[in-house]
Amino acid sequence: MNRYLVKATAVGALGGLLFGFDTAVIAGTTQQLTEIFHLTPATLGVTVFIGLVGTVIGAMGSGVLGQRFGGREALRLMAVLYTISAIGSAFAWNWDVLLVARFIGGLGIGGSSVLGPVYIAELAPAKWRGRMVGLFQVNVVVGILLAYLSNFLITLMHLGAAQWRWEFGVAFLPSLFFLILLYGIPRSSRWLVTTNQTDEALEVLRLMGSPDSEAELQEIIDSVHLERGVAQESLFQWKYRLPIFLAISIGMFNQLSGINAILYYSNYIFASAGFSESSAALQTVGVGLVNLLATFLGMSLIDKWGRVTLLIVGAAGMAAALAGTAAIFYLNAHQGLLIWMLVAFIIFFAISQGSVIWVYLAEVFPSRVRSKGQSLGSSSHWIMNAVIAGVFPTIAAKSQGLPFAFFAAMMLVQLVVVLVVYPETKAISLEQIQSKLGVS
């Protein structure tokens, strides 16, 4: 571990912080946006949904962008998109402009979600790779917490009708900082090999502290040649039916828990339960802090308890917490328990779905179709995210308890599916997992 490696990893992971910040900052603006732009529950849903449309497109298109221009250059583009989105959202003079700015930000979020972890993984030595890539996910959660904290502090400034502009606009500073830092890190050695720039790739490996840079360079060259030989293999074959089901279902269940509906509309949810604006913002900060701490707990448990065990425990816990939340709204009583129900939900989500999904997606596909399989699971996750975020305000306006009852029911379905179908992948080599799934 040396300062060049630490710097490159930290800068790559900073994209995760912006990812989390831009994803969650909308939570503090929903009430003002509704009043200023005269939004209905449906058009409020569109305001959140449009950013996620950009996210889906950004995630699906960034892989090609990264392969052609390299992860570092592609991340620079994402930083520019973040910066444009922050400025455009802050100075939006009508709803249409705000939608365009949020769509541009979504492109940056989706691109970062793919490019950041890949850039880190391609630079990091094998023995540090898991923890370094995990730093990206930690930064996403840190970004969510910082967005909530920023919203709360801006609320205390009593800026009136301009408050929402400041909440969006503050993202300009970290976006610009990210862009500047990206000019001080190297291109990844693996991408350099794919473009036949082996001399520079060797220099990067030495810079990153490789103990035997020439041998590692040869391994990368061999790996790239092998992947080129199987690049044309189709993912959608009968023999891959179980991994495909696992990827799609874990991506869908991740969002059918209601996690991002709660993160995006947390202030709205607390306001619906009778909390004041500043109180709702403070409650949301508490939720973000618990999310961060529980994420660390989940990362420490995933290799001890196993993926399936965490998913089972999490599904049961989330179902109970969501059912309790639904009961509070249906009965219109015990509103003081709402924060505790949502905290319990966040804890069970972070130690299960939040920790498992990206690891599981990387494990269940053989190497020859792994990137395609991960893209499929990621697309399932983001598309379901967009659908739920888009319809949540409309359904909640008709029945505040109904969305949470639906999410609770989905977690019970997930519990059954995981028990019956999902294989455990803890402490098993990738080759043994393929044999277990019948795709070796």
Side-chain angles (χ1 to χ4, degrees):
M1 185 75 72
N2 60 49
R3 65 188 181 93
Y4 299 106
L5 180 58
V6 170
K7 180 182 178 182
T9 302
V11 174
L14 186 58
L17 188 145
L18 286 168
F19 168 0
F21 191 99
D22 275 37
T23 297
V25 74
I26 187 73
T29 67
T30 51
Q31 288 175 278
Q32 272 204 322
L33 293 178
T34 299
E35 296 168 4
I36 290 171
F37 295 121
H38 309 292
L39 302 180
T40 64
T43 51
L44 176 61
V46 170
T47 308
V48 177
F49 172 81
I50 194 67
L52 295 168
V53 172
T55 300
V56 172
I57 295 172
M60 294 176 70
S62 60
V64 174
L65 195 68
Q67 285 179 348
R68 181 166 184 179
F69 299 106
R72 185 189 66 179
E73 278 67 22
L75 281 171
R76 288 175 182 173
L77 176 59
M78 299 308 115
V80 170
L81 294 176
Y82 279 131
T83 307
I84 292 172
S85 176
I87 296 172
S89 297
F91 290 98
W93 55 90
N94 60 37
W95 185 56
D96 294 336
V97 173
L98 178 63
L99 293 184
V100 172
R102 283 194 45 74
F103 175 78
I104 291 172
L107 293 174
I109 292 171
S112 292
S113 72
V114 174
L115 295 167
V118 169
Y119 175 78
I120 296 170
E122 290 183 350
L123 276 182
K127 65 177 180 179
W128 297 103
R129 188 174 298 124
R131 277 165 283 188
M132 287 186 164
V133 175
L135 182 63
F136 185 89
Q137 175 60 26
V138 170
N139 267 17
V140 172
V141 181
V142 170
I144 292 171
L145 173 59
L146 288 178
Y148 290 158
L149 183 59
S150 171
N151 287 346
F152 172 64
L153 294 175
I154 291 173
T155 299
L156 298 180
M157 295 168 67
H158 304 293
L159 297 170
Q163 178 179 305
W164 66 275
R165 296 185 183 276
W166 283 91
E167 289 175 339
F168 280 129
V170 74
F172 168 78
L173 292 176
S175 300
L176 184 61
F177 185 56
F178 180 43
L179 179 60
I180 293 170
L181 289 177
L182 282 167
Y183 281 88
I185 60 174
R187 294 183 287 186
S188 85
S189 52
R190 198 175 194 286
W191 180 80
L192 289 167
V193 169
T194 65
T195 55
N196 298 317
Q197 300 179 70
T198 53
D199 290 341
E200 186 176 344
L202 182 62
E203 183 60 32
V204 170
L205 288 171
R206 288 171 177 162
L207 196 67
M208 294 297 109
S210 172
D212 189 348
S213 52
E214 293 186 1
E216 188 170 346
L217 176 64
Q218 189 58 50
E219 286 181 6
I220 294 173
I221 292 172
D222 293 341
S223 174
V224 168
H225 287 166
L226 179 63
E227 288 179 9
R228 283 173 176 165
V230 298
Q232 300 306 312
E233 178 159 357
S234 171
L235 171 65
F236 295 101
Q237 300 183 56
W238 182 250
K239 65 180 178 179
Y240 296 138
R241 63 190 181 280
L242 180 53
I244 287 172
F245 173 80
L246 295 173
I248 293 175
S249 63
I250 198 170
M252 291 179 64
F253 281 129
N254 184 278
Q255 292 305 307
L256 287 169
S257 68
I259 179 61
N260 278 327
I262 291 170
L263 293 179
Y264 300 150
Y265 297 106
S266 52
N267 289 52
Y268 175 88
I269 293 168
F270 285 117
S272 299
F275 291 90
S276 67
E277 182 182 33
S278 60
S279 179
L282 182 59
Q283 304 277 17
T284 299
V285 172
V287 169
L289 180 59
V290 169
N291 191 16
L292 175 61
L293 296 176
T295 296
F296 282 118
L297 176 61
M299 290 176 67
S300 70
L301 292 176
I302 190 168
D303 287 322
K304 295 178 182 178
W305 288 18
R307 289 65 159 145
V308 169
T309 300
L310 287 180
L311 288 174
I312 291 170
V313 170
M318 285 187 286
L322 290 164
T325 303
I328 290 171
F329 283 113
Y330 276 124
L331 299 175
N332 196 26
H334 307 295
Q335 281 83 355
L337 294 176
L338 179 62
I339 180 66
W340 300 110
M341 288 294 154
L342 292 182
V343 162
F345 165 79
I346 288 291
I347 291 173
F348 282 109
F349 175 85
I351 66 171
S352 60
Q353 282 278 10
S355 299
V356 170
I357 177 172
W358 305 115
V359 174
Y360 208 68
L361 282 175
E363 291 176 331
V364 297
F365 289 98
S367 59
R368 55 189 176 271
V369 292
R370 183 167 293 131
S371 60
K372 296 175 183 177
Q374 285 180 284
S375 178
L376 177 67
S378 179
S379 298
S380 168
H381 166 274
W382 285 116
I383 290 170
M384 185 57 67
N385 183 357
V387 171
I388 291 175
V391 303
F392 178 85
T394 301
I395 298 174
K398 296 178 181 178
S399 171
Q400 294 171 343
L402 181 58
F404 298 99
F406 171 77
F407 296 145
M410 289 299 98
M411 290 303 92
L412 292 177
V413 173
Q414 182 196 23
L415 179 63
V416 174
V417 171
V418 171
L419 278 170
V420 174
V421 180
Y422 278 44
E424 180 55 73
T425 58
K426 179 188 75 168
I428 303 176
S429 72
L430 294 177
E431 289 72 26
Q432 289 173 322
I433 293 171
Q434 292 172 32
S435 178
K436 194 174 185 178
L437 295 175
V439 295
S440 56

